Amino acid sequence: MSDRPPLLEIRGLRAAVGDLEILRGVDLCVHAGEIHAVMGRNGSGKSTLSKVIAGHPSYRVTAGQILYRGQDVADLAPEERARAGLFLGFQYPVEIPGVSNREFLRVATNARRLARGEEELDTFSFDDHLEQRLALVKMDPSFLDRSLNEGFSGGEKKRNEILQMALLEPAVAILDETDSGLDIDALRIVAEGVRQLAGPDNATVLITHYQRLLEAITPQYVHVMAHGRLLRTGGPELALELERRGYDWVDAEAGLGSREDVAV
Amino acid sequence: MTTTRDRWSEALTPATLPRQARDSWRFTDLAPLKALDPGRLAPRPGVIPDLPPPAPGVVRLCLGPDGVSFSPAPADISWPAGVQVCAVPPDVADAPALAVRLGALLPGPSLGLQLAPGARLRLELVLQPAQAEAALAPRLWFDLAEDASLELALGLWGPADSLLVACVGARLAAGAELLEGQRLQGADSAVALVSGQVQQAPGSRYGRTAVVSGWRLARLEPQVCQTEGQAVTTFRDLALARGQATIDLHSQVRFGGPEGRLDQLQRALVDDGAQSVFNGVVQVPREAQRTDAAQLSRHLLLSTRGRVDTIPQLEIVADDVRCTHGATVSSLSDDELFYLQSRGVDRVLACRLLTRGFCRPIFDDLPPLIAAWPSEGLLP
Ligand SMILES: Nc1ncnc2c1ncn2[C@@H]1O[C@H](COP(=O)(O)OP(=O)(O)O)[C@@H](O)[C@H]1O
Ligand SMILES: [Mg+2]
């Protein structure tokens, strides 16, 4: 494995909103075939990391690099990153009134297919393709003809995210708290979807702050994020330790004191 | 003998046009109207519209070759049972709407129809002058007896430097229903003034949807009076204001008695240096208890040069009423754009999906007759 270049490599990444620095030097290396988990308290910077990787315009990268298949993505627009195979499953998927879910899924799928040198799918062949993928997330087809995420419950939104992932077949999928707000059944379906899509040629980064999802999908690496940095990396046992002991010891070990002591 | 042209030139003098300072014209510049040359404006023959043939049972009238009458002639048509051609009542000389005053000075096709109790009619009026500098002033009048029903689609196309002045009047008896769809599409130098005067008896229903796109200046002044309340009025307006267009909706609904209902939604997309004006007057006097009126105005502003003027005007005297009003002006949301982009949709297409999404609530709910007309060129 190690002779293959990483799919995603993050080096010394710092990012800010206005003058507020949120990411303070993140390093992460993800190879094909791997599943990583990023855990951490609320507010530690997990969502920011995922959005910066996807190219959200609100965040300014002030130092460091994001390399995707060895290429710096700094100059790529969010849509270019997506077409190249980076996928972000949103913690809070956005509701878009008036844009049909089905039409959106088709446009997105075709943009990715074109980028991969594949043919665009017409409405009919897309609908067939969609039906297969729909089964994976056990989503009620009636959600396809509604406005994108509008009025969807939390769980329905998350399933729709996994459906998008299944359609776009990304090389690197970053799933930001796809497990939160899900009941046990929905969690199982989402986990099953993620497991089925994970393969030797792609990689998954699961952002979560519960052990729950990791019981269904076992990551090779668990990283702990605090104060805008990945402070510790370990195996699946680290997740269990976090579940048992909380996060304060990580801060203490890193010499940061608990969160309350840190001036933000 | 004074010619149309003379009268018309007179009508366009500063003395006769509404003063800009007057409340109802405060936000709407009349310059595009004054810029038209009265000496060149004339009736122009109509073109055969580029529309699919009307559905079975639908009567379609177009602008005739003389530019001032309908074709086929209303008198020659075998109308459905209970439908009869009648005279259009003379315009009220001191009517406040500019369209009414100017329309009286201009040539134009007129059509008056009486619908007997229970009569039903589906009617399309397609007014599309073939040439620039057209002057067109359709006058329409519909008198609906008890339980009569009229579905009306009115298409007004304005070629370059043209002036279209339309007056639509209707009287709805108890149980009558008028479902009106207007589609106004004009060149970026054309001017449209459209007034509506609808009287509703208790138990009648009036639904009016207008989609306005293009124009240099388009002003719509639909006025409804629920003479004794207890009627239902629905307004749906969509303005697509681009370039230098000013699209102005001045609506007025008066409840003359109790338990009337109004459901009004106005949406406008404002791009480039365009302007949208919305003034929605709702009058609920003391006798209009238990009125239920909802008015919502939503603007999507796509350009920093665009301008929005919203002037809600709820005149509520009755105390036991439910009247709601909301007005928003927003621009495209960064988070919505990012979400679409993060799925590989490029920014231009993402903007288009979002702007179309904004228009959709009205577009998806068009009355069936105008919904059947192709919408190419209407949506961004
Ligand atoms: N767009 C933003 N503007 C201002 N502050 C932000 C923004 N995004 C994130 N933050 C702040 O950065 C910190 C990390 O947030 P986030 O990345 O959402 O954490 P997590 O996902 O780990 O809960 C929080 O204090 C949050 O308030
Ligand atoms: Mg988060």
Side-chain angles (χ1 to χ4, degrees):
Chain A
M1 278 284 176
S2 56
D3 51 339
R4 280 211 268 172
L7 278 181
L8 179 68
E9 190 179 3
I10 294 170
R11 294 187 191 151
L13 182 69
R14 290 175 171 267
V17 171
D19 291 334
L20 177 70
E21 184 167 60
I22 301 171
L23 299 184
R24 303 184 172 112
V26 175
D27 294 282
L28 178 68
C29 192
V30 179
H31 287 88
E34 293 177 352
I35 296 179
H36 291 241
V38 175
M39 305 186 74
R41 256 198 279 260
N42 267 331
S44 58
K46 305 182 296 296
S47 292
T48 302
L49 174 62
S50 69
K51 286 193 259 183
V52 170
I53 295 171
H56 195 292
S58 297
Y59 303 94
R60 193 163 43 88
V61 173
T62 53
Q65 282 181 310
I66 301 166
L67 305 172
Y68 174 65
R69 296 184 191 278
Q71 190 203 347
D72 192 330
V73 300
D75 294 328
L76 297 183
E79 61 267 34
E80 293 169 314
R81 300 181 193 199
R83 289 177 199 164
L86 275 171
F87 179 86
L88 166 60
F90 282 61
Q91 180 175 7
Y92 302 109
V94 181
E95 298 197 11
I96 305 194
V99 173
S100 125
N101 197 19
R102 185 191 296 274
E103 189 186 345
F104 162 71
L105 294 171
R106 188 169 54 82
V107 168
T109 304
N110 280 334
R112 171 91 171 115
R113 287 180 69 90
L114 281 182
R116 294 211 284 189
E118 295 167 352
E119 239 174 75
E120 278 189 284
L121 297 176
D122 62 28
T123 325
F124 295 110
S125 21
F126 175 72
D127 283 348
D128 287 346
H129 182 58
L130 183 56
E131 212 166 296
Q132 296 164 12
R133 299 302 154 119
L134 212 53
L136 192 69
V137 291
K138 303 198 168 53
M139 194 162 101
D140 182 340
S142 70
F143 286 100
L144 297 172
D145 296 307
R146 290 171 52 176
S147 287
L148 176 51
N149 293 331
E150 192 186 29
F152 288 24
S153 73
E156 289 153 2
K157 284 180 184 164
K158 297 298 171 76
R159 280 189 216 199
N160 206 29
E161 295 290 290
I162 300 300
L163 175 63
Q164 292 168 39
M165 177 171 105
L167 288 166
L168 298 179
E169 300 173 14
V172 176
I174 302 166
L175 302 178
D176 188 2
E177 301 211 20
T178 300
D179 53 340
S180 55
L182 294 187
D183 59 36
I184 296 293
D185 281 346
L187 182 75
R188 207 168 33 80
I189 290 162
V190 166
E192 187 54 32
V194 172
R195 230 184 357 231
Q196 284 197 25
L197 294 166
D201 299 319
N202 59 33
T204 310
V205 178
L206 302 168
I207 296 176
T208 179
H209 52 227
Y210 305 108
Q211 163 66 19
R212 231 168 40 146
L213 181 66
L214 306 183
E215 280 160 15
I217 310 168
T218 315
Q220 285 97 341
Y221 301 96
V222 174
H223 311 271
V224 184
M225 186 155 209
H227 316 290
R229 269 187 279 164
L230 295 181
L231 285 185
R232 248 185 104 103
T233 295
E237 74 289 346
L238 179 56
L240 291 169
E241 193 166 2
L242 289 169
E243 178 98 331
R244 224 178 36 241
R245 296 175 62 189
Y247 288 97
D248 285 347
W249 65 277
V250 183
D251 297 337
E253 258 182 37
L256 278 165
S258 72
R259 184 159 74 154
E260 288 70 36
D261 304 330
V262 176
V264 179
Chain B
M1 199 185 106
T2 52
T3 62
T4 303
R5 180 177 302 181
D6 297 335
R7 283 185 288 150
W8 172 232
S9 296
E10 243 166 67
L12 277 184
T13 61
T16 52
L17 286 177
R19 267 169 319 187
Q20 211 71 59
R22 250 191 50 189
D23 265 355
S24 77
W25 286 89
R26 191 150 37 113
F27 297 99
T28 309
D29 192 353
L30 275 166
L33 175 62
K34 295 177 195 159
L36 295 174
D37 179 357
R40 299 176 67 98
L41 290 172
R44 308 288 177 193
V47 295
I48 304 293
D50 192 12
L51 299 175
V58 174
V59 178
R60 178 185 289 170
L61 304 182
C62 300
L63 185 61
D66 59 359
V68 292
S69 58
F70 281 111
S71 165
D76 298 343
I77 287 179
S78 61
W79 294 96
V83 178
Q84 224 180 6
V85 175
C86 69
V88 177
D91 295 318
V92 192
D94 61 351
L98 180 62
V100 177
R101 287 191 289 125
L102 292 185
L105 304 170
L106 279 171
S110 69
L111 174 68
L113 291 177
Q114 246 164 2
L115 275 69
R120 312 181 74 79
L121 174 63
R122 307 184 77 199
L123 176 65
E124 295 186 354
L125 302 175
V126 183
L127 298 166
Q128 189 167 9
Q131 282 159 261
E133 295 171 326
L136 183 67
R139 270 182 291 278
L140 311 171
W141 166 251
F142 305 100
D143 194 356
L144 276 62
E146 286 75 17
D147 302 316
S149 138
L150 170 62
E151 225 183 289
L152 171 69
L154 175 62
L156 288 176
W157 273 263
D161 299 312
S162 61
L163 176 63
L164 270 62
V165 180
C167 300
V168 184
R171 187 165 59 191
L172 311 185
E177 178 167 29
L178 171 57
L179 186 59
E180 179 185 14
Q182 297 181 355
R183 171 155 162 187
L184 310 178
Q185 229 173 318
D188 61 10
S189 54
V191 175
L193 304 169
V194 180
S195 81
Q197 305 271 341
V198 175
Q199 283 194 11
Q200 292 188 254
S204 65
R205 307 173 74 86
Y206 174 40
R208 170 193 159 281
T209 301
V211 177
V212 186
S213 170
W215 308 96
R216 180 67 175 79
L217 168 63
R219 165 122 163 169
L220 280 64
E221 296 181 69
Q223 301 193 346
V224 172
C225 179
Q226 295 193 2
T227 50
E228 297 161 61
Q230 290 175 49
V232 178
T233 308
T234 309
F235 280 173
R236 294 282 179 271
D237 283 89
L238 176 63
L240 303 161
R242 286 165 280 194
Q244 294 302 305
T246 292
I247 298 181
D248 173 352
L249 172 65
H250 268 67
S251 68
Q252 191 186 89
V253 178
R254 181 178 175 81
F255 294 93
E259 290 161 18
R261 272 170 44 198
L262 167 67
D263 173 8
Q264 178 169 23
L265 174 62
Q266 179 258 357
R267 283 187 176 231
L269 193 94
V270 181
D271 203 352
D272 309 316
Q275 180 194 14
S276 166
V277 182
F278 172 57
N279 176 218
V281 178
V282 178
Q283 294 172 330
V284 188
R286 185 163 312 285
E287 61 273 23
Q289 297 296 350
R290 297 176 300 284
T291 294
D292 183 348
Q295 182 186 76
L296 186 62
S297 162
R298 296 254 281 125
H299 279 93
L300 182 62
L301 190 55
L302 295 175
S303 141
T304 49
R305 291 178 297 129
R307 190 177 146 175
V308 171
D309 296 287
T310 338
I311 319 114
Q313 203 174 323
L314 272 53
E315 299 165 4
I316 301 168
V317 180
D319 45 22
D320 178 18
V321 297
R322 212 177 69 184
C323 294
T324 59
H325 164 79
T328 60
V329 181
S330 51
S331 48
L332 290 180
S333 135
D334 279 345
D335 280 327
E336 292 181 12
L337 277 172
F338 176 66
Y339 187 71
L340 297 177
Q341 286 178 274
S342 77
R343 298 300 181 246
V345 180
D346 70 59
R347 201 182 160 85
V348 174
L349 181 55
C351 290
R352 194 156 70 221
L353 287 174
L354 293 179
T355 47
R356 289 186 168 205
F358 174 81
C359 300
R360 192 141 284 160
I362 292 183
F363 235 82
D364 281 353
D365 204 21
L366 292 178
L369 289 178
I370 60 166
W373 294 355
S375 61
E376 279 105 75
L378 258 192
L379 283 179

mmCIF file of all heavy atoms in Angstrom, chain A residues 203-235:
data_model
loop_
_atom_site.group_PDB
_atom_site.id
_atom_site.type_symbol
_atom_site.label_atom_id
_atom_site.label_comp_id
_atom_site.label_asym_id
_atom_site.label_seq_id
_atom_site.Cartn_x
_atom_site.Cartn_y
_atom_site.Cartn_z
ATOM 1 N N ALA A 203 -11.430 6.041 -0.775
ATOM 2 C CA ALA A 203 -11.189 6.189 0.658
ATOM 3 C C ALA A 203 -12.330 6.977 1.277
ATOM 4 O O ALA A 203 -13.003 7.753 0.594
ATOM 5 C CB ALA A 203 -9.865 6.912 0.887
ATOM 6 N N THR A 204 -12.546 6.744 2.559
ATOM 7 C CA THR A 204 -13.641 7.414 3.257
ATOM 8 C C THR A 204 -13.108 8.055 4.527
ATOM 9 O O THR A 204 -12.322 7.433 5.254
ATOM 10 C CB THR A 204 -14.732 6.385 3.643
ATOM 11 O OG1 THR A 204 -15.057 5.616 2.483
ATOM 12 C CG2 THR A 204 -15.982 7.079 4.154
ATOM 13 N N VAL A 205 -13.523 9.283 4.766
ATOM 14 C CA VAL A 205 -13.196 9.938 6.028
ATOM 15 C C VAL A 205 -14.515 10.194 6.746
ATOM 16 O O VAL A 205 -15.368 10.934 6.243
ATOM 17 C CB VAL A 205 -12.446 11.274 5.797
ATOM 18 C CG1 VAL A 205 -12.156 11.949 7.137
ATOM 19 C CG2 VAL A 205 -11.160 11.049 5.011
ATOM 20 N N LEU A 206 -14.702 9.569 7.873
ATOM 21 C CA LEU A 206 -15.945 9.721 8.626
ATOM 22 C C LEU A 206 -15.714 10.715 9.751
ATOM 23 O O LEU A 206 -14.869 10.487 10.616
ATOM 24 C CB LEU A 206 -16.354 8.384 9.252
ATOM 25 C CG LEU A 206 -16.560 7.200 8.313
ATOM 26 C CD1 LEU A 206 -16.667 5.921 9.127
ATOM 27 C CD2 LEU A 206 -17.823 7.424 7.484
ATOM 28 N N ILE A 207 -16.448 11.799 9.705
ATOM 29 C CA ILE A 207 -16.356 12.735 10.821
ATOM 30 C C ILE A 207 -17.516 12.423 11.755
ATOM 31 O O ILE A 207 -18.662 12.321 11.317
ATOM 32 C CB ILE A 207 -16.457 14.185 10.318
ATOM 33 C CG1 ILE A 207 -15.258 14.500 9.429
ATOM 34 C CG2 ILE A 207 -16.557 15.149 11.490
ATOM 35 C CD1 ILE A 207 -15.311 15.866 8.799
ATOM 36 N N THR A 208 -17.202 12.259 13.018
ATOM 37 C CA THR A 208 -18.279 11.885 13.933
ATOM 38 C C THR A 208 -17.848 12.269 15.326
ATOM 39 O O THR A 208 -16.668 12.496 15.580
ATOM 40 C CB THR A 208 -18.560 10.371 13.857
ATOM 41 O OG1 THR A 208 -19.607 10.043 14.772
ATOM 42 C CG2 THR A 208 -17.327 9.543 14.203
ATOM 43 N N HIS A 209 -18.772 12.423 16.249
ATOM 44 C CA HIS A 209 -18.282 12.422 17.616
ATOM 45 C C HIS A 209 -18.952 11.348 18.462
ATOM 46 O O HIS A 209 -18.950 11.395 19.667
ATOM 47 C CB HIS A 209 -18.273 13.796 18.296
ATOM 48 C CG HIS A 209 -19.541 14.553 18.264
ATOM 49 N ND1 HIS A 209 -19.591 15.864 17.921
ATOM 50 C CD2 HIS A 209 -20.792 14.195 18.518
ATOM 51 C CE1 HIS A 209 -20.823 16.277 17.982
ATOM 52 N NE2 HIS A 209 -21.577 15.295 18.349
ATOM 53 N N TYR A 210 -19.484 10.370 17.764
ATOM 54 C CA TYR A 210 -19.988 9.212 18.500
ATOM 55 C C TYR A 210 -19.259 7.957 18.063
ATOM 56 O O TYR A 210 -18.820 7.841 16.925
ATOM 57 C CB TYR A 210 -21.477 9.007 18.230
ATOM 58 C CG TYR A 210 -22.310 10.207 18.517
ATOM 59 C CD1 TYR A 210 -22.866 10.938 17.471
ATOM 60 C CD2 TYR A 210 -22.537 10.608 19.824
ATOM 61 C CE1 TYR A 210 -23.642 12.041 17.725
ATOM 62 C CE2 TYR A 210 -23.308 11.713 20.081
ATOM 63 C CZ TYR A 210 -23.859 12.429 19.032
ATOM 64 O OH TYR A 210 -24.618 13.524 19.280
ATOM 65 N N GLN A 211 -19.226 7.011 18.946
ATOM 66 C CA GLN A 211 -18.668 5.705 18.669
ATOM 67 C C GLN A 211 -19.625 4.899 17.781
ATOM 68 O O GLN A 211 -19.219 4.007 17.046
ATOM 69 C CB GLN A 211 -18.423 5.019 20.028
ATOM 70 C CG GLN A 211 -18.225 3.525 19.993
ATOM 71 C CD GLN A 211 -16.933 3.142 19.268
ATOM 72 O OE1 GLN A 211 -16.037 3.969 19.107
ATOM 73 N NE2 GLN A 211 -16.874 1.914 18.822
ATOM 74 N N ARG A 212 -20.922 5.281 17.845
ATOM 75 C CA ARG A 212 -21.997 4.504 17.239
ATOM 76 C C ARG A 212 -21.723 4.056 15.799
ATOM 77 O O ARG A 212 -21.830 2.897 15.453
ATOM 78 C CB ARG A 212 -23.253 5.371 17.248
ATOM 79 C CG ARG A 212 -24.436 4.692 17.829
ATOM 80 C CD ARG A 212 -25.582 5.647 18.091
ATOM 81 N NE ARG A 212 -25.781 6.650 17.056
ATOM 82 C CZ ARG A 212 -26.979 7.111 16.708
ATOM 83 N NH1 ARG A 212 -28.062 6.623 17.279
ATOM 84 N NH2 ARG A 212 -27.098 8.054 15.803
ATOM 85 N N LEU A 213 -21.357 5.034 14.964
ATOM 86 C CA LEU A 213 -21.142 4.735 13.553
ATOM 87 C C LEU A 213 -19.956 3.786 13.386
ATOM 88 O O LEU A 213 -19.942 2.933 12.512
ATOM 89 C CB LEU A 213 -20.889 6.028 12.775
ATOM 90 C CG LEU A 213 -20.680 5.889 11.272
ATOM 91 C CD1 LEU A 213 -21.949 5.390 10.584
ATOM 92 C CD2 LEU A 213 -20.255 7.211 10.650
ATOM 93 N N LEU A 214 -18.973 3.957 14.281
ATOM 94 C CA LEU A 214 -17.744 3.186 14.139
ATOM 95 C C LEU A 214 -17.931 1.734 14.555
ATOM 96 O O LEU A 214 -17.097 0.882 14.283
ATOM 97 C CB LEU A 214 -16.625 3.845 14.949
ATOM 98 C CG LEU A 214 -16.414 5.324 14.597
ATOM 99 C CD1 LEU A 214 -15.247 5.888 15.384
ATOM 100 C CD2 LEU A 214 -16.201 5.521 13.105
ATOM 101 N N GLU A 215 -19.045 1.459 15.219
ATOM 102 C CA GLU A 215 -19.358 0.060 15.503
ATOM 103 C C GLU A 215 -19.794 -0.646 14.227
ATOM 104 O O GLU A 215 -19.588 -1.841 14.061
ATOM 105 C CB GLU A 215 -20.454 -0.036 16.568
ATOM 106 C CG GLU A 215 -19.884 0.167 17.966
ATOM 107 C CD GLU A 215 -20.936 0.555 18.984
ATOM 108 O OE1 GLU A 215 -22.141 0.392 18.698
ATOM 109 O OE2 GLU A 215 -20.539 1.037 20.065
ATOM 110 N N ALA A 216 -20.383 0.122 13.323
ATOM 111 C CA ALA A 216 -20.850 -0.470 12.069
ATOM 112 C C ALA A 216 -19.777 -0.447 10.986
ATOM 113 O O ALA A 216 -19.731 -1.307 10.121
ATOM 114 C CB ALA A 216 -22.103 0.256 11.591
ATOM 115 N N ILE A 217 -18.956 0.566 11.000
ATOM 116 C CA ILE A 217 -17.897 0.671 9.993
ATOM 117 C C ILE A 217 -16.583 0.810 10.754
ATOM 118 O O ILE A 217 -16.375 1.784 11.459
ATOM 119 C CB ILE A 217 -18.068 1.936 9.122
ATOM 120 C CG1 ILE A 217 -19.491 2.022 8.584
ATOM 121 C CG2 ILE A 217 -17.052 1.955 7.999
ATOM 122 C CD1 ILE A 217 -19.796 3.375 7.976
ATOM 123 N N THR A 218 -15.713 -0.122 10.601
ATOM 124 C CA THR A 218 -14.473 -0.054 11.373
ATOM 125 C C THR A 218 -13.382 0.679 10.599
ATOM 126 O O THR A 218 -12.990 0.254 9.509
ATOM 127 C CB THR A 218 -13.963 -1.474 11.715
ATOM 128 O OG1 THR A 218 -15.088 -2.225 12.153
ATOM 129 C CG2 THR A 218 -12.893 -1.422 12.784
ATOM 130 N N PRO A 219 -12.941 1.797 11.152
ATOM 131 C CA PRO A 219 -11.884 2.546 10.474
ATOM 132 C C PRO A 219 -10.509 1.964 10.816
ATOM 133 O O PRO A 219 -10.333 1.358 11.871
ATOM 134 C CB PRO A 219 -12.021 3.944 11.071
ATOM 135 C CG PRO A 219 -12.576 3.714 12.434
ATOM 136 C CD PRO A 219 -13.375 2.445 12.394
ATOM 137 N N GLN A 220 -9.552 2.158 9.913
ATOM 138 C CA GLN A 220 -8.181 1.759 10.232
ATOM 139 C C GLN A 220 -7.527 2.814 11.122
ATOM 140 O O GLN A 220 -6.664 2.519 11.909
ATOM 141 C CB GLN A 220 -7.329 1.605 8.964
ATOM 142 C CG GLN A 220 -7.618 0.361 8.167
ATOM 143 C CD GLN A 220 -8.566 0.642 7.028
ATOM 144 O OE1 GLN A 220 -9.265 1.664 7.036
ATOM 145 N NE2 GLN A 220 -8.616 -0.246 6.054
ATOM 146 N N TYR A 221 -7.918 4.078 10.893
ATOM 147 C CA TYR A 221 -7.288 5.166 11.626
ATOM 148 C C TYR A 221 -8.345 6.028 12.298
ATOM 149 O O TYR A 221 -9.382 6.324 11.702
ATOM 150 C CB TYR A 221 -6.469 6.064 10.693
ATOM 151 C CG TYR A 221 -5.388 5.306 9.966
ATOM 152 C CD1 TYR A 221 -5.605 4.834 8.671
ATOM 153 C CD2 TYR A 221 -4.153 5.057 10.582
ATOM 154 C CE1 TYR A 221 -4.625 4.132 7.999
ATOM 155 C CE2 TYR A 221 -3.160 4.344 9.913
ATOM 156 C CZ TYR A 221 -3.396 3.888 8.619
ATOM 157 O OH TYR A 221 -2.428 3.192 7.970
ATOM 158 N N VAL A 222 -8.060 6.425 13.503
ATOM 159 C CA VAL A 222 -8.933 7.367 14.207
ATOM 160 C C VAL A 222 -8.084 8.574 14.591
ATOM 161 O O VAL A 222 -6.997 8.424 15.163
ATOM 162 C CB VAL A 222 -9.549 6.714 15.463
ATOM 163 C CG1 VAL A 222 -10.345 7.757 16.256
ATOM 164 C CG2 VAL A 222 -10.449 5.540 15.068
ATOM 165 N N HIS A 223 -8.577 9.755 14.216
ATOM 166 C CA HIS A 223 -7.855 10.987 14.554
ATOM 167 C C HIS A 223 -8.711 11.796 15.517
ATOM 168 O O HIS A 223 -9.926 11.803 15.405
ATOM 169 C CB HIS A 223 -7.607 11.848 13.313
ATOM 170 C CG HIS A 223 -7.035 11.077 12.162
ATOM 171 N ND1 HIS A 223 -5.683 10.905 11.978
ATOM 172 C CD2 HIS A 223 -7.638 10.431 11.137
ATOM 173 C CE1 HIS A 223 -5.479 10.184 10.875
ATOM 174 N NE2 HIS A 223 -6.658 9.884 10.345
ATOM 175 N N VAL A 224 -8.062 12.468 16.415
ATOM 176 C CA VAL A 224 -8.802 13.317 17.338
ATOM 177 C C VAL A 224 -8.502 14.769 17.011
ATOM 178 O O VAL A 224 -7.339 15.177 16.977
ATOM 179 C CB VAL A 224 -8.395 13.053 18.801
ATOM 180 C CG1 VAL A 224 -9.266 13.905 19.717
ATOM 181 C CG2 VAL A 224 -8.548 11.583 19.119
ATOM 182 N N MET A 225 -9.553 15.501 16.776
ATOM 183 C CA MET A 225 -9.366 16.913 16.471
ATOM 184 C C MET A 225 -9.678 17.745 17.705
ATOM 185 O O MET A 225 -10.651 17.489 18.413
ATOM 186 C CB MET A 225 -10.294 17.323 15.329
ATOM 187 C CG MET A 225 -10.050 18.734 14.870
ATOM 188 S SD MET A 225 -10.586 18.929 13.153
ATOM 189 C CE MET A 225 -9.487 20.204 12.648
ATOM 190 N N ALA A 226 -8.840 18.747 17.956
ATOM 191 C CA ALA A 226 -9.108 19.697 19.039
ATOM 192 C C ALA A 226 -8.429 21.002 18.668
ATOM 193 O O ALA A 226 -7.316 21.003 18.144
ATOM 194 C CB ALA A 226 -8.579 19.165 20.365
ATOM 195 N N HIS A 227 -9.136 22.072 18.905
ATOM 196 C CA HIS A 227 -8.573 23.405 18.667
ATOM 197 C C HIS A 227 -7.958 23.559 17.282
ATOM 198 O O HIS A 227 -6.898 24.137 17.123
ATOM 199 C CB HIS A 227 -7.530 23.737 19.740
ATOM 200 C CG HIS A 227 -7.970 23.360 21.111
ATOM 201 N ND1 HIS A 227 -8.976 24.031 21.770
ATOM 202 C CD2 HIS A 227 -7.605 22.334 21.931
ATOM 203 C CE1 HIS A 227 -9.189 23.453 22.945
ATOM 204 N NE2 HIS A 227 -8.374 22.419 23.057
ATOM 205 N N GLY A 228 -8.621 23.001 16.302
ATOM 206 C CA GLY A 228 -8.172 23.234 14.935
ATOM 207 C C GLY A 228 -6.976 22.408 14.506
ATOM 208 O O GLY A 228 -6.334 22.728 13.507
ATOM 209 N N ARG A 229 -6.676 21.349 15.280
ATOM 210 C CA ARG A 229 -5.572 20.469 14.879
ATOM 211 C C ARG A 229 -5.952 19.009 15.105
ATOM 212 O O ARG A 229 -6.783 18.710 15.961
ATOM 213 C CB ARG A 229 -4.318 20.794 15.694
ATOM 214 C CG ARG A 229 -3.444 21.831 15.009
ATOM 215 C CD ARG A 229 -2.146 22.011 15.749
ATOM 216 N NE ARG A 229 -2.345 22.887 16.892
ATOM 217 C CZ ARG A 229 -1.466 22.984 17.894
ATOM 218 N NH1 ARG A 229 -0.383 22.233 17.899
ATOM 219 N NH2 ARG A 229 -1.683 23.817 18.884
ATOM 220 N N LEU A 230 -5.316 18.117 14.368
ATOM 221 C CA LEU A 230 -5.479 16.694 14.652
ATOM 222 C C LEU A 230 -4.406 16.338 15.672
ATOM 223 O O LEU A 230 -3.220 16.244 15.341
ATOM 224 C CB LEU A 230 -5.329 15.864 13.374
ATOM 225 C CG LEU A 230 -6.409 16.112 12.314
ATOM 226 C CD1 LEU A 230 -6.182 15.232 11.088
ATOM 227 C CD2 LEU A 230 -7.808 15.871 12.869
ATOM 228 N N LEU A 231 -4.839 16.198 16.927
ATOM 229 C CA LEU A 231 -3.866 16.088 18.016
ATOM 230 C C LEU A 231 -3.305 14.691 18.169
ATOM 231 O O LEU A 231 -2.218 14.498 18.679
ATOM 232 C CB LEU A 231 -4.523 16.510 19.335
ATOM 233 C CG LEU A 231 -4.721 18.007 19.517
ATOM 234 C CD1 LEU A 231 -5.268 18.272 20.904
ATOM 235 C CD2 LEU A 231 -3.408 18.771 19.319
ATOM 236 N N ARG A 232 -4.098 13.708 17.814
ATOM 237 C CA ARG A 232 -3.670 12.326 18.060
ATOM 238 C C ARG A 232 -4.207 11.440 16.974
ATOM 239 O O ARG A 232 -5.300 11.665 16.459
ATOM 240 C CB ARG A 232 -4.283 11.866 19.368
ATOM 241 C CG ARG A 232 -3.320 11.642 20.487
ATOM 242 C CD ARG A 232 -4.102 11.081 21.642
ATOM 243 N NE ARG A 232 -3.839 9.647 21.726
ATOM 244 C CZ ARG A 232 -3.034 9.114 22.626
ATOM 245 N NH1 ARG A 232 -2.416 9.874 23.495
ATOM 246 N NH2 ARG A 232 -2.845 7.820 22.668
ATOM 247 N N THR A 233 -3.478 10.422 16.635
ATOM 248 C CA THR A 233 -3.960 9.436 15.681
ATOM 249 C C THR A 233 -3.731 8.058 16.275
ATOM 250 O O THR A 233 -2.711 7.813 16.918
ATOM 251 C CB THR A 233 -3.189 9.564 14.354
ATOM 252 O OG1 THR A 233 -3.499 10.823 13.774
ATOM 253 C CG2 THR A 233 -3.608 8.457 13.369
ATOM 254 N N GLY A 234 -4.700 7.179 16.103
ATOM 255 C CA GLY A 234 -4.545 5.817 16.606
ATOM 256 C C GLY A 234 -5.408 4.874 15.793
ATOM 257 O O GLY A 234 -5.921 5.246 14.730
ATOM 258 N N GLY A 235 -5.585 3.686 16.305
ATOM 259 C CA GLY A 235 -6.452 2.704 15.653
ATOM 260 C C GLY A 235 -7.841 2.781 16.244
ATOM 261 O O GLY A 235 -8.147 3.700 17.002
#
